[in-house]
Amino acid sequence: MIRAHAVINRAALAHNLSRVRELAPTSRVYAAVKADGYGHGAVTVAQALADADGFAVSSLDEALQLRWAGIEKPVAMLSQQLDATVCDQAAEHRLEIVVFHDSQIDALTRHVGPPITVWIKLDSGMHRLGFASSRAEEIETRIADLNTVAIAGWLTHLACGDEPSRPETPAQLEDFFAATQGRTGLRSIANSAGVLAWPVSHVDIVRPGIMLYGSSPMSDRNAADCGLEPAMHLTAPLISRNRIPEGEMIGYGATWRTPEDMDVGVIGIGYGDGYPRHAPSGTPVLFNGVRVPLIGRVSMDMITVDLRDAPDAKVGDRATLWGGGLDVDEIARQADTIAYELFCQLTPRVRFEVV
Ligand SMILES: *Cc1c(COP(=O)(O)O)cnc(C)c1O
């Protein structure tokens, strides 16, 4: 009997990439597959998205995983520190490096051997990674002087793209366009929120992540509104069903009490599988199309649910925790987090299957 089970749907991934293409028809697409493809399996996702123009990962390890799997498309490392070994590996495996700090230029200056392709990351206002926009010319000149390094173009990242009315995004766009005006190379700004809400940010290359997995980053639109399909369907079996008298406690801490004699179900998934412990009573779980509320605290191996609206659910039936008719973004909101984190925190105990 399979416990927690995540089915990864290649057709949904491909569909979501085609949505990106519809929204940004003249841009190349670097699909973000960092953090093991947002918990979906980086190689699985990259193979399903074979039509992408390239892939974006965080680190050298993640990039090499794609190369070892035979993925030949461009791979850019978004937040990888550099030393001689990393530079050698990047050159040997044709990995593109995002340069955001002087220490990386020092390492590039010492690089000998096959040339390395780099992107210069500018800080247009988020103040996480990147050179101050005012340094664009200086950085470009220093890197252009290196014989073994080629500049592919310019990157920046949006802090508030998911909230369409925020003034920070136009300010960031203006800063970046001003800093890169007239400079050679491609430009890339948009994450999923940029793809969905800021057409002016699409420019040469878009870098969507979360929308490829079927989650909407937007505060004002759900995944279906965005034309996205869930790439993951997470299920677990009902392992017990019990009649509990009125006024009894359910689970650790006795945080929920039965308002009447009622059936309580136990589903074989918990925070040990990555189901969020902070999902409160009322968080929906789906049984054969019927939503039933989680009740009481999430345990390591189990959750308890109110089965009053699912009289036919029987031990062995599988419940949907997200995907397959239950929007992962709704579960994320309930648990006071984001779908990115729910995907990333699934544990190795979850059995994965690709269809
Ligand atoms: C993760 C990441 C993306 C993709 O972001 P989504 O919100 O998942 O679309 C794009 N660019 C950079 C620099 C990133 O780190």
Side-chain angles (χ1 to χ4, degrees):
M1 272 284 248
I2 299 174
R3 272 182 44 96
H5 189 221
V7 175
I8 306 302
N9 187 322
R10 294 163 55 93
L13 288 160
H15 166 83
N16 295 333
L17 175 59
S18 72
R19 274 299 289 149
V20 174
R21 298 275 189 207
E22 278 172 24
L23 290 160
T26 62
S27 305
R28 293 185 220 174
V29 179
Y30 272 34
V33 298
K34 63 201 185 192
D36 198 24
Y38 289 45
H40 292 61
V43 171
T44 297
V45 173
Q47 288 169 342
L49 300 180
D51 285 345
D53 300 290
F55 297 99
V57 297
S58 174
S59 65
L60 177 65
D61 286 354
E62 293 181 345
L64 290 176
Q65 192 195 0
L66 297 182
R67 284 289 182 260
W68 288 330
I71 287 149
E72 297 287 332
K73 290 269 173 78
V75 175
M77 301 183 289
L78 297 169
S79 53
Q80 174 64 56
Q81 272 197 293
L82 300 185
D83 59 19
T85 311
V86 177
C87 288
D88 289 345
Q89 293 276 303
E92 179 181 345
H93 297 284
R94 296 175 298 99
L95 305 174
E96 301 174 358
I97 295 173
V98 174
V99 179
F100 50 81
H101 193 262
D102 291 290
S103 62
Q104 293 173 299
I105 302 181
D106 297 341
L108 289 169
T109 303
R110 290 189 290 270
H111 175 65
V112 287
I116 299 174
T117 298
V118 303
W119 298 87
I120 301 172
K121 179 141 182 193
L122 296 181
D123 174 13
S124 57
M126 183 175 181
H127 301 315
R128 190 179 60 179
L129 282 187
F131 298 101
S133 293
S134 58
R135 296 184 64 195
E137 177 154 15
E138 171 216 335
I139 300 300
E140 181 180 32
T141 307
R142 279 171 63 193
I143 297 179
D145 279 348
L146 306 175
N147 295 325
T148 55
V149 181
I151 299 173
W154 303 85
L155 250 64
T156 197
H157 195 54
L158 300 176
C160 308
D162 52 336
E163 296 172 79
S165 59
R166 291 286 288 260
E168 289 87 348
T169 303
Q172 283 197 265
L173 293 170
E174 193 175 324
D175 178 274
F176 182 72
F177 285 127
T180 57
Q181 172 82 42
R183 302 195 186 286
T184 49
L186 301 172
R187 290 183 291 182
S188 176
I189 305 169
N191 55 5
S192 297
V195 170
L196 288 161
W198 302 93
V200 65
S201 76
H202 294 172
V203 292
D204 298 309
I205 300 188
V206 295
R207 312 185 304 270
I210 197 69
M211 70 183 290
L212 295 171
Y213 305 98
S215 155
S216 167
M218 304 308 299
S219 55
D220 61 343
R221 268 185 288 166
N222 67 26
D225 294 337
C226 298
L228 303 172
E229 293 174 3
M232 180 189 294
H233 184 190
L234 181 67
T235 66
L238 189 68
I239 63 171
S240 185
R241 176 175 188 132
N242 305 299
R243 190 80 184 167
I244 308 292
E246 176 185 346
E248 293 294 317
M249 64 176 171
I250 304 295
Y252 286 122
T255 60
W256 206 85
R257 287 196 180 264
T258 48
E260 59 180 328
D261 292 3
M262 58 179 279
D263 278 8
V264 170
V266 183
I267 298 172
I269 190 168
Y271 64 79
D273 305 280
Y275 191 83
R277 183 171 173 280
H278 293 292
S281 291
T283 302
V285 169
L286 207 58
F287 266 112
N288 306 316
V290 177
R291 289 159 71 106
V292 303
L294 186 148
I295 55 177
R297 281 194 191 148
V298 172
S299 307
M300 183 183 290
D301 308 320
M302 288 164 264
I303 58 176
T304 35
V305 291
D306 173 350
L307 287 182
R308 283 177 290 178
D309 287 336
D312 302 329
K314 53 186 189 308
V315 167
D317 285 357
R318 297 198 72 84
T320 289
L321 289 314
W322 62 66
L326 190 54
D327 189 349
V328 66
D329 293 316
E330 182 178 353
I331 307 305
R333 258 191 312 280
Q334 287 277 356
D336 199 18
T337 184
I338 50 179
Y340 302 74
E341 187 182 39
L342 295 185
F343 290 148
C344 286
Q345 72 186 11
L346 289 178
T347 72
R349 195 161 78 172
V350 177
R351 187 96 67 87
F352 275 73
E353 183 187 349
V354 180
V355 298

